Structures are given as structure tokens and as C-alpha cells.
Amino acid sequence: MAGILFNHVYKRYGKYKEVVVNDFNLAVNDQEFLVFVGPSGCGKSTTLRMLAGLEDISEGEIYIGDKLVNHEPPKNRNISMVFQNYALYPNLTVYENIAFGLRVRKVPKHEIDLSVKRAARVLEIESFLDRKPSDLSGGQRQRVALGRAIVRTPEVFLMDEPLSNLDAKLRVQMRSEIIRLHKKIGVTTIYVTHDQIEAMTMGDRVVVMNKGVIQQVDTPERIYERPVNMFVASFIGNLPMNFIEGKLRENDGYLDFCTNRGSLRLTAGQAARLRKSRLINRDITMGIRAEHISFDEAAIEANPHSLMTGFTMFNEFVGSDRFYHMDIRSGKLLIARSQCLREEGERVTMAIDMEKALFFNKDTEMLLTE
Ligand SMILES: Nc1ncnc2c1ncn2[C@@H]1O[C@H](COP(=O)(O)OP(=O)(O)O)[C@@H](O)[C@H]1O
Ligand SMILES: [Mg+2]
């Protein structure tokens, strides 16, 4: 087993040397389950393929353990990969599919048998080792593909959107099976997905990427609560974070965030930090998540200095929650979570939980911390 290190790694493609992976720096811990997440085309697969040796590295260094692997062919890197299109050999049985890679490597027959059965046990597919892939469900096939990857114990597992072809219910089930598998065998794993829910539920740490650049590397909790910029704040979360524009104004010793739908009083800690940023009286952006906006009478009474008004446009009932799309200024929408029932078009007062508000530089879109 081994950690992985990316040191100033770049990938440039084509005649115009378009940069698709841009100064990628990352240390993956031994035995970690790390997730790369980002929109389609942001460079996740390319980064993974450089690590696997399937793609040249334009610049920089990649280490697996202590070993510089830039010029090692894929077979010397001791990596197993699972892809989105887990093509199994249709004419081979499950057993033969799992054994295939070992046969190619001329592993003795009895060793192959032990390895295949061990992998099948871990994945609970022992009872259909004799079947052909066409006799399996999608989830079972996916497990066979995983079996092919874990039949040898590599130093590193790479999984590139392995669940994208499965239906929603199966995806949820396979998510937990992959995590369980990882806990059992503890091999350093990089898992790629464009799905933020998958990233948040699976990763020990999550690497958020955009346009070839790492935006943030952090635990799911930190990424949700302290996104470093507006891209991360809107990409992560079942709903994107709400952004409201306004100006910071001094008010009788307090600092208020003034919008044309109400003023919101900053906490003492926020005020102290933002006074240092020299953005008083300038346009800045406040971020607030739907669950920190309340229609509740008690919340409104408790926060008389942090109220906004808006008009309900429509709401979405999702069983556990109801999400209200609020018009706070001709066409500008804000999404609030509330159990209260409100009519369409009703004027509503909203209490903002300012403890949870974040402030971003309007131009750089970076979180304002100091
Ligand atoms: N062989 C290639 N030649 C030129 N451009 C490529 C090649 N492979 C990928 N790209 C480009 O690199 C960017 C990143 O692609 P990729 O790593 O596949 O993104 P992701 O996996 O995050 O969806 C995309 O803009 C893609 O078009
Ligand atoms: Mg990809």
C-alpha cells in the first residue's frame, strides 16, 4: 500500500497546448478514500489516467509511495482501475472474467483459484461464479467488474465514475458496498465522480476541481460549511448556496449587510473580520444555505435585525422538506427550506441565521475570511 503525491502536474493537449490539468498538487494518504469531483470536462479522468500511466504527464511529477512513476509503464505501477464502462467478456463466466488478468500474468492456477474465491467472497458473488455476464443484473455485473480489480491487491485503486451506468437505487447500494470494501481491504483509493452527493457521502476527503484547477481539498463537512469560493459553494450541496448582493454599512457600532429587501446584522466575529477587509460601503456577496433561512415566527422574533422580505414564487415538496423559491428582487431568486405553508405570491418575512452566513468578494468570488 502507498500514498500518492502529485507535484506541480500539468496536462496540455493538442496544437495549442490547451491546459486541461493546471498545476495539480496533492498528497493522498496511504489507505485514504479520496474523491475527485467537478463538472464534466474539468480534468478528473485525465488526472487519473496520468496517475495510471495511460496518459503522458506534460510537466511535473507523480509519486506512488516513494517511487517517481512518470516514466513507468502502467503495468509497473501496481494500480487497479475500474471504469464507467466495465466491459466484461460476454463469453466467459464470472469466474473466468475475474481470473482473466491473473491468467494473462501467468499466475499459477491454484493461486488464481484462491484469489478469485477471496474476491468473490468479499463481494458476495460466490453463488454466481459459473454464470455468464448476460445472466446478471447491472449491480451484479458491476460487482464482477470490481472483483476483476480487487483480485490482485494493488497498491492503489482508481475508480472513474464506476456507478454512472446504474439506476439511482442501485447506485446508492453500490456506494455503500464500495465503502465497505475499502474498509475491509484498506487500499488507497481515488474515486472520480461528477456527482456531488456521491463525493460527499463516500470521500474521507474530497477534491473539488473546476477547469483543470483544484479548488478545495477538504472533508465533506468543511467543503459544505466553509467553501473557499463561490464555485464550490454552488457546486456542492443538494441546492446551490444562495447568493445575495449588498453593501456592508456601519450602523451604530454594528456592521449591517444592506440589501434592497432588508438589512442583516453581522455577528461580532464577522464584523471584526470584515472591517479589516476594507470592503465597507462596497458591493459584496453574501452566501446562505436554504436551511438557514426561516419563515418561522419564533425565528423572526428572535432575529429582529436579520430579516428580509420576499415573495413566494412556487415551492417544491420533497417529502422531508419543502423548498420555497423566493423572489427577492425582480427575478432574483432565493431558495428557502421551510415546513410552513405559504400561498404562491405571498409576501413573506424571512429570518436569516447570520451565524451561518458567508461573505465573498464580489470580483474574485473568494471567501472573505480575514
Ligand atoms: N485526447 C485528448 N485530446 C484533446 N483533449 C482532450 C483529450 N482528452 C481529454 N481532453 C480534454 O481535456 C479536458 C478534460 O477532460 P477529462 O479529463 O476527460 O474531464 P472529466 O473526466 O473531468 O470529465 C476536456 O476539455 C477534454 O475535452
Ligand atoms: Mg471523466
Side-chain angles (χ1 to χ4, degrees), residues 14-25:
K15 200 164 87 185
Y16 300 104
K17 301 279 174 224
E18 192 201 346
V19 182
V20 299
V21 176
N22 194 344
D23 198 15
F24 198 94
N25 291 291

Side-chain angles (χ1 to χ4, degrees), residues 77 149 156 232 291:
R77 298 195 188 191
V156 175
V232 176
E291 64 267 31

Side-chain angles (χ1 to χ4, degrees), residues 224-259:
Y224 189 78
E225 285 162 14
R226 305 285 299 169
V228 297
N229 60 31
M230 288 168 66
F231 172 80
V232 176
S234 49
F235 188 76
I236 298 291
N238 288 335
L239 294 169
M241 186 178 278
N242 292 299
F243 297 121
I244 306 169
E245 282 168 18
K247 281 183 166 54
L248 291 176
R249 293 229 166 85
E250 294 286 356
N251 183 359
D252 219 7
Y254 293 99
L255 202 55
D256 285 349
F257 179 73
C258 300
T259 77

Side-chain angles (χ1 to χ4, degrees), residues 51-334:
L51 172 58
L54 303 172
E55 203 73 72
D56 288 338
I57 300 165
S58 304
E59 193 182 321
E61 298 167 322
I62 299 180
Y63 291 85
I64 299 175
D66 299 331
K67 192 171 163 197
L68 180 67
V69 297
N70 282 40
H71 303 294
E72 293 292 337
K75 66 177 170 50
N76 291 356
R77 298 195 188 191
N78 203 5
I79 281 174
S80 270
M81 252 184 120
V82 187
F83 298 96
Q84 176 176 353
N85 297 310
Y86 44 92
L88 301 176
Y89 300 103
N91 299 321
L92 302 185
T93 63
V94 168
Y95 184 103
E96 290 161 340
N97 263 287
I98 297 177
F100 191 85
L102 298 179
R103 289 229 170 103
V104 171
R105 286 185 178 78
K106 305 252 187 299
V107 175
K109 218 168 173 174
H110 66 279
E111 270 182 45
I112 293 182
D113 195 56
L114 283 176
S115 306
V116 171
K117 289 194 171 140
R118 193 183 54 221
R121 200 162 46 242
V122 170
L123 292 162
E124 294 169 15
I125 52 176
E126 292 157 291
S127 60
F128 39 84
L129 283 173
D130 296 330
R131 290 198 211 164
K132 295 277 172 65
S134 56
D135 299 329
L136 303 177
S137 70
Q140 289 167 337
R141 273 183 232 166
Q142 184 60 38
R143 271 187 271 169
V144 176
L146 281 171
R148 256 191 338 199
I150 67 164
V151 69
R152 335 179 267 118
T153 311
E155 284 187 304
V156 175
F157 271 131
L158 303 182
M159 304 190 184
D160 194 350
E161 314 236 8
L163 307 184
S164 300
N165 287 340
L166 304 180
D167 65 46
K169 201 170 159 195
L170 208 53
R171 251 194 338 255
V172 173
Q173 186 189 334
M174 285 304 296
R175 236 151 63 185
S176 54
E177 290 198 21
I178 289 173
I179 292 301
R180 206 163 45 94
L181 184 68
H182 176 257
K183 291 210 158 71
K184 246 187 234 177
I185 58 181
V187 174
T188 310
T189 303
I190 302 182
Y191 184 102
V192 163
T193 180
H194 64 273
D195 177 353
Q196 63 86 24
I197 299 180
E198 229 166 82
M200 297 294 274
T201 52
M202 296 179 81
D204 295 328
R205 285 190 304 159
V206 175
V207 178
V208 185
M209 295 174 64
N210 188 32
K211 297 180 180 162
V213 178
I214 294 183
Q215 308 289 306
Q216 187 164 4
V217 183
D218 238 322
T219 61
E221 291 80 6
R222 291 274 306 170
I223 286 187
Y224 189 78
E225 285 162 14
R226 305 285 299 169
V228 297
N229 60 31
M230 288 168 66
F231 172 80
V232 176
S234 49
F235 188 76
I236 298 291
N238 288 335
L239 294 169
M241 186 178 278
N242 292 299
F243 297 121
I244 306 169
E245 282 168 18
K247 281 183 166 54
L248 291 176
R249 293 229 166 85
E250 294 286 356
N251 183 359
D252 219 7
Y254 293 99
L255 202 55
D256 285 349
F257 179 73
C258 300
T259 77
N260 46 10
R261 289 285 179 202
S263 297
L264 309 171
R265 180 148 299 169
L266 273 59
T267 67
Q270 288 165 341
R273 284 201 308 276
L274 288 172
R275 280 191 178 108
K276 289 189 210 152
S277 69
R278 299 190 191 170
L279 290 165
I280 311 297
N281 296 324
R282 303 261 294 275
D283 290 331
I284 68 166
T285 303
M286 188 183 100
I288 190 86
R289 293 217 178 258
E291 64 267 31
H292 301 132
I293 302 173
S294 176
F295 295 178
D296 204 66
E297 286 300 330
I300 291 167
E301 271 173 37
N303 295 285
H305 299 292
S306 304
L307 303 178
M308 284 184 84
T309 54
F311 294 88
T312 59
M313 302 285 288
F314 57 92
N315 73 74
E316 296 165 317
F317 178 62
V318 296
S320 55
D321 287 308
R322 194 179 286 277
F323 294 105
Y324 283 88
H325 292 241
M326 307 294 301
D327 188 346
I328 53 169
R329 187 189 61 213
S330 52
K332 171 94 174 138
L333 285 182
L334 189 89

